[in-house]
Amino acid sequence: MIGRLTLSDFRNHADALILPNHAFILLTGDNGAGKTNILEAVSMLAPGRGLRGASLGAMARQDGPGGFGIAAEVDGVMLGTGVNANAPERRQVRIGGVASSANALADHLAIVWLTPAMDRLFLDSPGGRRRFLDRLTLALHPGHAAHSGRYDAAMRARNRLLSDLRTADPVWLSALETQMEEHGAAIGGARADLVARLNQLLAHQPDAPFARPMIEIEEAEPQGDEPLAIRLGRQRRRDAAAGRSLTGPHRQDLAVTHVAKGQAAALCSTGEQKALLLSILLAHAALVAAERGQPPVLLLDEVAAHLDPLRRAALFDRLADTGGQIWMTGTEPSLFSDLSAATRLSVTAGHIFRSTT
């Protein structure tokens, strides 16, 4: 768990300190007060661009010095990240006071989030669902971020070469395609492992009060047994014409089915889709806790707003059962009245106050 969180010039928070003393950290306040900004800061203690996917420069406080800093104490280890005003798009990471890579953060914290923007996940593009799948996978397999980064780098280099296929070095193309196969196999294997183990847990989950999902990975086209490097080599002309690589794990999609209704999630109601996401998230927390010996930190933005009292109480019970640290936002303190033990904070215009309600 995060025992201490400090923000400097992050979004609308000039200087903030949070000392959680319960598993639940509740952030309440008006829209625009800066509640989600705090969740975003926590999400930056993981590889990637956080829960908004924003550019680093956009995270620096307006009218501030141009950079920002985020630091947290986790099991006695200080994790820090931020940017310098002189290089606003170059992320710096320190672990235990030593410069490190963002990917190394995954060895210390598993962080997963659910935001209102994700309510349309099943109607969104495959890229949005892949990012969600990869965030879940990373929490279970910390090395997933490194493989994804190296795969993407090799793919970008291949695409650049294919932009002028007549002059492209075939030996260099083959080397890049071999790298894509190596890291692609690790990516696909980690995703498949996550999905298989999640489905095992979900198979024993009741259909109420949250919908029970079944998940699977869909390929953009049949893969067969042909190695990826061979397939990429055979499809160079097609990919050159398209201006991108048309096969590989970067084309996979996440498919979710509402088991009780036998219906694809995309065809379910908005409430059912939210329930399916919550079911996946709760099963995932249990899986990560069993595998890593520590549950993930969950960031839930406005998660209780549209739940009836029965489902809110059930959700809080299930979240408590994960044994992890839960950060939640809401506009009204009454949404969390069923939680007796919690760190309650009121957020107003970038300022954070202890709250008793």
Side-chain angles (χ1 to χ4, degrees):
M1 295 188 183
I2 296 171
R4 177 188 179 95
L5 176 71
T6 60
L7 312 182
S8 300
D9 295 309
F10 184 82
R11 296 288 189 180
N12 69 331
H13 296 279
D15 186 20
L17 170 64
I18 297 177
L19 300 170
N21 55 3
H22 294 95
F24 285 92
I25 299 94
L26 310 179
L27 305 162
T28 58
D30 294 338
N31 292 326
K35 306 183 300 295
T36 304
N37 293 342
I38 296 171
L39 298 193
E40 183 182 28
V42 177
S43 74
M44 290 301 294
L45 298 170
R49 290 296 178 94
L51 59 79
R52 285 191 175 107
S55 66
L56 293 170
M59 299 178 192
R61 183 170 61 91
Q62 292 184 6
D63 301 324
F68 70 83
I70 303 165
E73 182 181 356
V74 179
D75 296 331
V77 178
M78 291 302 300
L79 309 181
T81 188
V83 299
N84 188 285
N86 296 324
E89 290 299 332
R90 182 180 178 184
R91 184 178 181 184
Q92 300 177 19
V93 174
R94 299 185 75 83
I95 299 176
V98 179
S100 187
S101 70
N103 290 339
L105 291 168
D107 294 327
H108 297 269
L109 270 182
I111 305 177
V112 180
W113 51 81
L114 194 60
T115 70
M118 295 168 65
D119 286 352
R120 291 183 55 82
L121 183 72
F122 303 120
L123 303 176
D124 198 357
S125 66
R129 289 186 290 275
R130 273 195 304 275
R131 287 189 290 273
F132 176 67
L133 173 63
D134 283 336
R135 179 58 52 191
L136 299 182
T137 304
L138 176 63
L140 191 67
H141 298 282
H144 185 66
H147 286 295
S148 296
R150 290 165 187 161
Y151 177 90
D152 288 344
M155 182 174 64
R156 288 194 298 270
R158 177 179 183 267
N159 290 345
R160 285 195 296 270
L161 286 176
L162 290 179
S163 64
D164 189 354
L165 189 56
R166 293 172 301 174
T167 61
D169 182 350
V171 176
W172 183 227
L173 276 171
S174 294
L176 291 170
E177 288 158 357
T178 298
Q179 289 179 40
M180 289 177 67
E181 178 181 314
E182 175 188 350
H183 297 296
I187 292 168
R191 287 174 177 169
D193 177 65
L194 168 79
V195 167
R197 294 165 72 179
L198 266 182
N199 278 331
Q200 288 179 350
L201 286 179
L202 291 167
H204 302 289
Q205 178 180 300
D207 292 322
F210 301 109
R212 181 162 62 93
M214 179 183 70
I215 61 179
E216 60 181 326
I217 295 173
E218 289 186 342
E219 303 289 348
E221 57 185 27
Q223 300 302 300
D225 296 327
E226 186 178 37
L228 178 59
I230 301 298
R231 190 161 64 252
L232 288 168
R234 180 171 51 78
Q235 295 176 349
R236 286 175 187 171
R237 290 190 178 278
R238 184 186 74 163
D239 291 354
R244 57 197 176 101
S245 301
L246 295 174
T247 189
H250 66 285
R251 299 272 290 164
Q252 290 180 331
D253 196 358
L254 175 67
V256 177
T257 302
H258 187 313
V259 173
K261 298 181 70 172
Q263 190 174 64
L267 302 177
C268 294
S269 70
T270 302
E272 288 171 332
Q273 291 179 16
K274 185 67 165 282
L276 290 167
L277 278 173
L278 286 171
S279 292
I280 292 171
L281 205 68
L282 291 166
H284 176 263
L287 178 60
V288 173
E291 176 68 19
R292 295 186 57 166
Q294 63 175 55
V297 172
L298 299 181
L299 310 177
L300 307 177
D301 194 14
E302 302 287 353
V303 71
H306 302 295
L307 296 177
D308 58 55
L310 176 65
R311 285 181 172 80
R312 272 205 307 270
L315 173 62
F316 296 158
D317 287 343
R318 293 280 301 277
L319 289 171
D321 288 343
T322 69
Q325 192 176 58
I326 319 295
W327 296 67
M328 292 193 289
T329 68
T331 55
E332 299 294 335
S334 59
L335 291 170
F336 308 113
S337 58
D338 290 334
L339 286 170
S340 56
T343 299
R344 299 176 186 272
L345 303 172
S346 175
V347 184
T348 303
H351 298 281
I352 303 170
F353 307 93
R354 284 277 176 176
S355 174
T356 58
T357 60

